[in-house]
Amino acid sequence: MDSKLPILAFRVKSLCRTCLCPLRSSPSRKQALLQKFCSRQFTTTNSRAGIAAPPIDFSGDNLPEALQGVQEKELPESIYGSADPGSFAATTNFPRVVPASPSYFTGKPSFTDNLISVQAILRKYQTLPTLAPVEAPRAAWRTLSQYRVMVGEPVKASKYYKIIEVLRRLNRIHPALMPEEVVAAINHYKRDVDPFAMIRRPQTVDADGRSFGAGRRKASTAKVYLVGGEGNVLVNGKPLNQAFPRLHDRESAIWALKATGRINKYNVWAIAGGGGLTGQAESVMLAVAKALMVHEPALKPALRRAGCVTRDPRRVERKKPGHVKARKMPSWVKR
């Protein structure tokens, strides 16, 4: 009370100036005004009715319109609470519409629901024995376009790949211990095809003695026809030294024939495009190797050791904002 006395005295002093009350004349008069000021009700019933809505009475027949036709016995306990249904008091918890999906307010609720469901299944059965990735059953998953049609949403490839990763992990569970829930989840994302029937059609030599091979490197592509001959090479209708002025590019283009000692045994007719000369030369090398394996399949181990069978996936790293190149930063200057 002592801490509030200066504030109340200031307010009383202002009040006394308004009503011209002799506050400073007697201390007893000051104490009486302080008690009157503390017990004063500043909001009357009439003023409250003018500035705020009247309180709602839920007792008796004053139920909301949504609950007018509902019997008291049918109202759940969550609405009444622990009180008696007849006393529908202010402690009432009204029901509200709750979305059925936890991802209802996301941009792609169907995809998010699918991802959450497969992740929940994986957490449930992640302790089961698994097989090695090479020993897991083959499965042909839905393509991105098929999944987009299924969910009706423009899902990105990177997001759909998250579901595929979880499905591959579920597919590695031992078949003898795989639960029915996992089998149903895997079958939901499978295509209606036989994965064992998806065998690459073998390349053959045509009636004119030609074999075909295609190769890629960075942004370059090449198509090569290989036929028995004297070692002539034409790239886009030009001799090899005119198509690739650099010696390194010329050696890369015919490296598959040089590594196997077949330079003077076959003629090469190639069509290359896209990218630069180095990319075109290395794409021709991969195409020549594939066409050579059609003529002589036994050369595959030698070509693999020479590095002519596997496609090189490396590409130029993109430039980043704030960098001079992909990783180079601008030179730092103190002043």
Side-chain angles (χ1 to χ4, degrees), residues 280-301:
Q280 292 180 4
E282 295 187 9
S283 62
V284 169
M285 176 190 68
L286 182 60
V288 169
K290 292 182 178 180
L292 183 59
M293 286 188 294
V294 175
H295 283 280
E296 302 182 39
L299 293 177
K300 186 174 181 178

Side-chain angles (χ1 to χ4, degrees), residues 69-288:
V70 183
Q71 299 294 333
E72 293 182 353
K73 296 181 180 179
E74 299 179 1
L75 293 176
E77 186 179 355
S78 60
I79 296 179
Y80 288 115
S82 60
D84 183 59
S87 60
F88 202 71
T91 58
T92 303
N93 296 324
F94 293 103
R96 65 184 181 90
V97 179
V98 179
S101 170
S103 58
Y104 177 79
F105 297 102
T106 61
K108 298 176 177 61
S110 300
F111 161 76
T112 310
D113 285 343
N114 294 338
L115 181 60
I116 291 174
S117 62
V118 294
Q119 288 177 346
I121 295 174
L122 179 59
R123 287 193 301 269
K124 187 177 180 180
Y125 301 106
Q126 63 183 351
T127 57
L128 294 178
T130 58
L131 301 174
V134 295
E135 298 177 357
R138 296 182 62 181
W141 309 110
R142 294 179 185 268
T143 60
L144 178 61
S145 58
Q146 293 175 346
Y147 180 75
R148 287 173 176 172
V149 173
M150 183 179 70
V151 298
E153 296 174 354
V155 182
K156 293 183 179 180
S158 59
K159 294 184 177 296
Y160 178 57
Y161 188 72
K162 295 180 181 179
I163 297 180
I164 297 299
E165 284 184 338
V166 179
L167 292 174
R168 287 174 179 172
R169 173 60 179 81
L170 292 174
N171 193 40
R172 290 175 51 195
I173 297 177
H174 199 282
L177 304 175
M178 186 176 294
E180 293 294 334
E181 186 178 4
V182 178
V183 175
I186 292 176
N187 292 335
H188 183 67
Y189 295 94
K190 277 186 178 180
R191 286 185 289 170
D192 298 333
V193 295
D194 185 9
F196 295 96
M198 300 172 60
I199 302 175
R200 181 179 296 180
R201 185 174 56 185
Q203 295 287 341
T204 58
V205 180
D206 61 5
D208 297 329
R210 299 174 303 179
S211 63
F212 174 77
R216 293 179 178 85
R217 174 72 171 96
K218 291 193 286 190
S220 304
T221 59
K223 299 179 181 179
V224 168
Y225 292 92
L226 194 67
V227 64
E230 301 175 354
N232 299 323
V233 180
L234 292 178
V235 179
N236 295 333
K238 301 177 183 179
L240 189 62
N241 56 354
Q242 295 182 9
F244 301 114
R246 294 178 64 236
L247 176 62
H248 179 73
D249 295 340
R250 293 197 294 268
E251 290 184 351
S252 298
I254 59 174
W255 175 246
L257 298 175
K258 186 176 180 179
T260 56
R262 302 294 193 277
I263 293 182
N264 298 325
K265 190 176 179 180
Y266 294 98
N267 292 338
V268 179
W269 188 76
I271 300 176
L277 295 179
T278 301
Q280 292 180 4
E282 295 187 9
S283 62
V284 169
M285 176 190 68
L286 182 60
V288 169

